[in-house]
Amino acid sequence: MAISISCSPCSSVNTMLSLSSSSQCLPSKLFFKPCKSFMLNSRPGIVVNCASSDMGSSSSSDYESFRQAHLPSFGLSSNGDARKPSYKWQRVLLKVSGEALAGDNAQNIDPKVTMAIAREVASVTRLGVEVAIVVGGGNIFRGSTWAGCSGLDRSSADYIGMMATVMNAIFLQATMESIGIPTRVQTAFRMSEVAEPYIRRRAIRHLEKGRVVIFAAGTGNPFFTTDTAAALRCAEINAEVVLKATNVNGVYDKDPRQNSDARLLDTLSYQDVITKELSVMDLTAITLCQENNIPVVVFNLNEEGNISRAIQGERVGTIIGGQRRAATAELQQ
Ligand code: UDP
């Protein structure tokens, strides 16, 4: 039986990332200082093709090998345009931790950070890259920290943590939409008054239509993390890379805060991360990435332009399980 996969026009593609806030301060405990306004880039009319990514070469299932060799990502395909720039990745999953959202603000969220993210997301979606975002919640509540307090069991604590990610997601959505980026929030468990439930095909359709999709509430299960949710959603929607936005420049050979000669590592294998117990991602998340050949780029969110540089495969941060591409955007014949 022959199976055909149709492809949407590349111009409708966009990427998942996180966001920022408006210039209003909110009254309660979470809150925000004014942030400056900015202008959106004009749409350059660039079309992105479906270049396959040169992902890492660790173990993969037969199906995974077949899929990579023969099938475009679901909902993605190249088109016949003779002059289209080829970016390193066409559909990405941006993981933004709660800590990154907080910036150096004493409050839970720094609106300057969320706005900076929104601006970068806007610039890459206008290049035709599809962006999905998984947000963390550690700036508000971390289940493992609170478990055991006043009779709070770990599962209940983790559900509170997952709800914290929804708060961040809604804030991020508001910021994104304030600068004109169509955005949908999908939650891993139902909160239908505030967001859509997670439906894989629907998420992909949003991406194809140029919307940013923010995945909230992690995996929907206690005892997991939003890093694992990022790896899981990335695999599910056939995104090509997890871009892990952090407050540090990447992965170092030793702790840079204690060793002035610490060296930023350019590339790492999944096995390096696992055996050396590097605290890049938890073991479940990195293993999921390894099993599905999903490269992870760890980079500093606070440096302007880093998100778009990471998406274009430029030398930014540390790449795990993948390779760099020298050129930013190549014209295909
Ligand atoms: N969490 C969970 N299951 C998930 C994802 C998250 O239970 O699949 C809970 C967990 O309590 C965690 C909190 O949500 O501490 C916030 O997520 P995370 O710590 O991953 O956020 P980040 O460190 O990225 O800010």
mmCIF file of all heavy atoms in Angstrom, residues 18 77 80 95 176 241 252 285:
data_model
loop_
_atom_site.group_PDB
_atom_site.id
_atom_site.type_symbol
_atom_site.label_atom_id
_atom_site.label_comp_id
_atom_site.label_asym_id
_atom_site.label_seq_id
_atom_site.Cartn_x
_atom_site.Cartn_y
_atom_site.Cartn_z
ATOM 1 N N SER A 18 9.393 30.551 23.625
ATOM 2 C CA SER A 18 8.663 31.133 24.742
ATOM 3 C C SER A 18 8.577 32.641 24.633
ATOM 4 O O SER A 18 8.990 33.216 23.675
ATOM 5 C CB SER A 18 9.336 30.762 26.027
ATOM 6 O OG SER A 18 10.436 31.567 26.188
ATOM 7 N N SER A 77 7.462 19.306 4.244
ATOM 8 C CA SER A 77 8.034 18.801 3.017
ATOM 9 C C SER A 77 8.696 19.920 2.258
ATOM 10 O O SER A 77 8.441 21.081 2.480
ATOM 11 C CB SER A 77 6.977 18.179 2.137
ATOM 12 O OG SER A 77 6.311 19.176 1.437
ATOM 13 N N GLY A 80 8.881 23.119 -4.598
ATOM 14 C CA GLY A 80 9.655 23.213 -5.828
ATOM 15 C C GLY A 80 10.375 24.527 -6.030
ATOM 16 O O GLY A 80 10.968 24.744 -7.075
ATOM 17 N N LYS A 95 12.866 24.911 24.667
ATOM 18 C CA LYS A 95 12.574 24.673 26.089
ATOM 19 C C LYS A 95 13.054 25.882 26.879
ATOM 20 O O LYS A 95 14.240 26.225 26.836
ATOM 21 C CB LYS A 95 13.287 23.392 26.567
ATOM 22 C CG LYS A 95 13.386 23.262 28.085
ATOM 23 C CD LYS A 95 12.068 23.061 28.772
ATOM 24 C CE LYS A 95 12.046 23.536 30.218
ATOM 25 N NZ LYS A 95 13.025 22.972 31.127
ATOM 26 N N MET A 176 3.481 37.085 23.575
ATOM 27 C CA MET A 176 3.631 36.766 22.151
ATOM 28 C C MET A 176 2.537 37.452 21.342
ATOM 29 O O MET A 176 2.795 38.067 20.321
ATOM 30 C CB MET A 176 3.530 35.258 21.924
ATOM 31 C CG MET A 176 4.530 34.435 22.669
ATOM 32 S SD MET A 176 6.109 34.348 21.852
ATOM 33 C CE MET A 176 5.846 32.982 20.793
ATOM 34 N N VAL A 241 14.903 19.449 16.697
ATOM 35 C CA VAL A 241 15.913 19.753 17.712
ATOM 36 C C VAL A 241 15.224 20.310 18.957
ATOM 37 O O VAL A 241 14.182 20.955 18.849
ATOM 38 C CB VAL A 241 16.939 20.776 17.158
ATOM 39 C CG1 VAL A 241 16.273 22.099 16.814
ATOM 40 C CG2 VAL A 241 18.102 21.016 18.114
ATOM 41 N N TYR A 252 30.131 23.351 30.138
ATOM 42 C CA TYR A 252 31.576 23.551 30.374
ATOM 43 C C TYR A 252 32.214 22.253 30.845
ATOM 44 O O TYR A 252 31.524 21.368 31.377
ATOM 45 C CB TYR A 252 31.792 24.627 31.430
ATOM 46 C CG TYR A 252 31.493 26.023 30.935
ATOM 47 C CD1 TYR A 252 30.180 26.499 30.912
ATOM 48 C CD2 TYR A 252 32.509 26.855 30.479
ATOM 49 C CE1 TYR A 252 29.891 27.776 30.453
ATOM 50 C CE2 TYR A 252 32.235 28.142 30.018
ATOM 51 C CZ TYR A 252 30.931 28.592 30.015
ATOM 52 O OH TYR A 252 30.641 29.847 29.560
ATOM 53 N N ALA A 285 15.158 12.614 30.179
ATOM 54 C CA ALA A 285 15.054 13.505 29.017
ATOM 55 C C ALA A 285 16.168 13.228 28.012
ATOM 56 O O ALA A 285 15.910 13.092 26.810
ATOM 57 C CB ALA A 285 15.099 14.959 29.481
#
